[in-house]
Amino acid sequence: MMSYFDEALNRIGTDSMKWDGAKERFGQEGLLPLWVADMDFKAPQPVIDALKDKVEHGIYGYAAPSPDVNQSIVNWLSTQYKWAVRDEDIVHVTGVVPAISNLIRTFTEEEDEIIIQTPVYYPFYDVIEKNRRKVVKNPLLLENEHYKMDFDGLESVVTEKTKMLILCHPHNPGGRVWSEEELSKLAEICEKHDLYVISDEIHADLLFDGYRHIPFASVYESLENRVFTALAPTKTFNLAGVQGAYVVIKDATLRLRYRQTLASTFVGANMFSQVATKAAYDHGLPWLKELMAYIQDNYKLVEDYLSTHMPKIKPMKPQGTYLLWIDFEGIGLTAEERKKWLLEDAKLAFNHGPIFGDEGEHFERMNLATSRETLMQALDQLHAAYKQKHF
């Protein structure tokens, strides 16, 4: 029986960054794009229907913040994570990265140090440096084919100029879902050194079987006066182009300071984001469950294919997200040689590992959120290039 997610949709000519923007991004024609983190799947039908209703209303004037949307968010966080959030704790923003930028500007000063745990989502570097703050790296440890936090290393890099840590939770690109024990240890260190924490939890809903997401701010009640949790339905339900996110800030004083910063940007509510968010959180859970079953099957397909046909290329099994971190060290190419080979011989567009940090030297990030037909085409193209090189 064909799955909802099996349909190989044609996205060319739809102004898709992933498909139409690949030539400009990679400088090559005819690439199969498995890079930027959006899905080749239609959003849940209730979201599509809700957006249609709003479009057909025909009036697209200024939107007022909707209390109904906040209630949907409160219900989702309670149901999915047993996390009690109040309506007033929620601050709506245009996206997670803009939210992080404004949090940095609100709660740190120029030349302050901000810690990131590398390899990590590459916009973290830019959002720190373009706000004239300093990146401090606390590299993750790669053990038993998974990343873990280096707590001793974290303690060693904190100075009097260190004011904040940005946590990628679940981790992008490695797919780790951090455990309660790890989060508790991290919380202790951040409290000890009086660090603010921005917890980017945009991938929180995208969990593999056997794993659960624990909001970092929920680990200890005392974290409420230092943690800013950035969330959105956009990754979960493939709504990135609608542009909407929210930050949960439990502390009223911190929340007021952040709202004052946002007020200076003069960005108002997006009616389509509000409609999509409410519909997704109210009606999207069955779709999400089917999605994650499909993503896990896609991972298994890649794992089996690589071990059978290209054993020198090794995927890191994710615990969450729809992103796959693949180790190419065994083929013996440098990062630049590998990039050229993938583009010119395999005709594949992945996210090149080094953009996530020096620790990504041997890796590429592959997007699993595509139809099985497209995924098999990508694997066959990779295999043909692999055989040609006689690895």
Side-chain angles (χ1 to χ4, degrees):
M1 182 177 176
M2 185 173 176
S3 165
Y4 181 87
F5 304 102
D6 276 325
E7 185 179 1
L9 299 168
N10 180 14
R11 299 185 65 190
I12 296 172
T14 64
D15 298 323
S16 161
M17 178 188 293
K18 183 178 184 180
W19 288 81
D20 296 321
K23 179 185 175 183
E24 181 179 353
R25 171 85 176 201
F26 296 96
Q28 294 276 341
E29 295 269 14
L31 298 174
L32 191 60
L34 294 101
W35 61 293
V36 69
D38 76 2
M39 308 186 212
D40 294 327
F41 306 135
K42 289 182 180 178
Q45 193 61 45
V47 175
I48 297 171
D49 292 341
L51 288 171
K52 281 182 179 178
D53 287 345
K54 178 57 71 172
V55 168
E56 289 172 359
H57 181 256
I59 300 176
Y60 314 124
Y62 293 115
S66 167
D68 291 343
V69 173
N70 278 7
Q71 189 57 54
S72 294
I73 292 170
V74 167
N75 293 344
W76 182 265
L77 297 178
S78 174
T79 301
Q80 297 302 112
Y81 311 118
K82 312 301 180 191
W83 188 27
V85 169
R86 302 164 301 178
D87 176 280
E88 58 265 31
D89 298 334
I90 300 166
V91 182
H92 288 273
V93 291
T94 57
V96 165
V97 175
I100 293 172
S101 180
N102 282 313
L103 286 164
I104 287 171
R105 292 198 297 117
T106 305
F107 298 105
T108 67
E109 303 291 336
E110 291 189 10
E111 301 304 314
D112 280 350
E113 297 172 348
I114 300 176
I115 297 171
I116 55 176
Q117 296 170 303
T118 55
V120 75
Y121 181 52
Y122 51 90
F124 285 3
Y125 295 90
D126 280 349
V127 80
I128 295 170
E129 292 169 345
K130 289 181 179 178
N131 278 299
R132 300 183 180 86
R133 276 65 168 173
K134 293 184 177 179
V135 171
V136 174
K137 294 172 66 173
N138 169 226
L140 298 170
L141 302 174
L142 183 53
E143 294 184 3
N144 299 320
E145 300 182 348
H146 280 104
Y147 288 118
K148 59 181 290 187
M149 295 188 197
D150 182 359
F151 296 113
D152 291 337
L154 177 57
E155 292 265 24
S156 73
V157 298
V158 176
T159 74
E160 62 181 15
K161 291 290 289 179
T162 311
K163 305 299 180 184
M164 180 177 281
L165 179 144
I166 304 178
L167 173 64
C168 198
H169 172 39
H171 181 252
N172 172 13
R176 268 301 316 275
V177 175
W178 304 116
S179 69
E180 186 169 13
E181 180 182 359
E182 290 169 306
L183 295 173
S184 296
K185 180 63 176 175
L186 180 65
E188 290 170 6
I189 294 173
C190 291
E191 286 196 300
K192 174 182 174 182
H193 295 284
D194 196 24
L195 301 179
Y196 287 122
V197 179
I198 301 173
S199 188
D200 176 356
E201 303 187 15
I202 196 170
H203 291 278
D205 301 319
L206 301 164
L207 303 177
F208 278 42
D209 291 343
Y211 295 94
R212 70 185 183 102
H213 177 78
I214 302 169
F216 183 57
S218 72
V219 174
Y220 297 130
E221 187 175 339
S222 59
L223 288 174
E224 292 184 357
N225 64 357
R226 70 178 65 253
V227 176
F228 313 100
T229 306
L231 292 149
T234 50
K235 284 288 182 287
T236 307
F237 299 103
N238 205 28
L239 302 171
V242 179
Q243 293 198 323
Y246 54 96
V247 182
V248 176
I249 306 176
K250 292 274 193 168
D251 183 272
T253 301
L254 298 181
R255 192 167 60 247
L256 176 60
R257 287 177 61 189
Y258 188 53
R259 286 191 182 280
Q260 288 170 339
T261 297
L262 294 179
S264 71
T265 68
F266 298 94
V267 176
N270 179 323
M271 69 167 65
F272 295 107
S273 174
Q274 291 191 121
V275 167
T277 296
K278 178 171 175 52
Y281 281 160
D282 288 353
H283 306 292
L285 186 57
W287 182 95
L288 174 59
K289 290 179 178 178
E290 289 185 34
L291 168 75
M292 289 314 299
Y294 195 86
I295 295 297
Q296 289 175 93
D297 286 345
N298 273 1
Y299 167 73
K300 183 62 175 166
L301 174 64
V302 174
E303 181 186 50
D304 291 346
Y305 193 107
L306 291 178
S307 66
T308 301
H309 300 291
M310 295 172 278
K312 293 182 180 179
I313 301 174
K314 301 184 182 300
M316 181 182 290
K317 185 175 183 179
Q319 300 170 350
T321 83
Y322 52 76
L323 305 168
L324 184 59
W325 195 227
I326 306 177
D327 186 351
F328 284 80
E329 184 176 12
I331 66 175
L333 298 180
T334 67
E336 283 305 308
E337 289 170 341
R338 182 180 72 248
K339 182 179 180 181
K340 185 173 185 289
W341 170 66
L342 288 168
L343 291 173
E344 296 183 1
D345 295 359
K347 293 293 182 181
L348 295 174
F350 294 153
N351 284 110
H352 192 43
I355 67 173
F356 298 88
D358 295 340
E359 301 79 12
E361 176 74 11
H362 301 298
F363 290 84
E364 301 288 329
R365 193 189 75 174
M366 177 184 187
N367 187 334
L368 293 172
T370 192
S371 70
R372 207 136 299 149
E373 177 185 333
T374 301
L375 188 61
M376 278 303 305
Q377 181 183 342
L379 291 170
D380 287 342
Q381 288 178 203
L382 183 63
H383 187 213
Y386 185 93
K387 288 191 297 183
Q388 189 177 35
K389 276 284 191 180
H390 305 291
F391 289 125

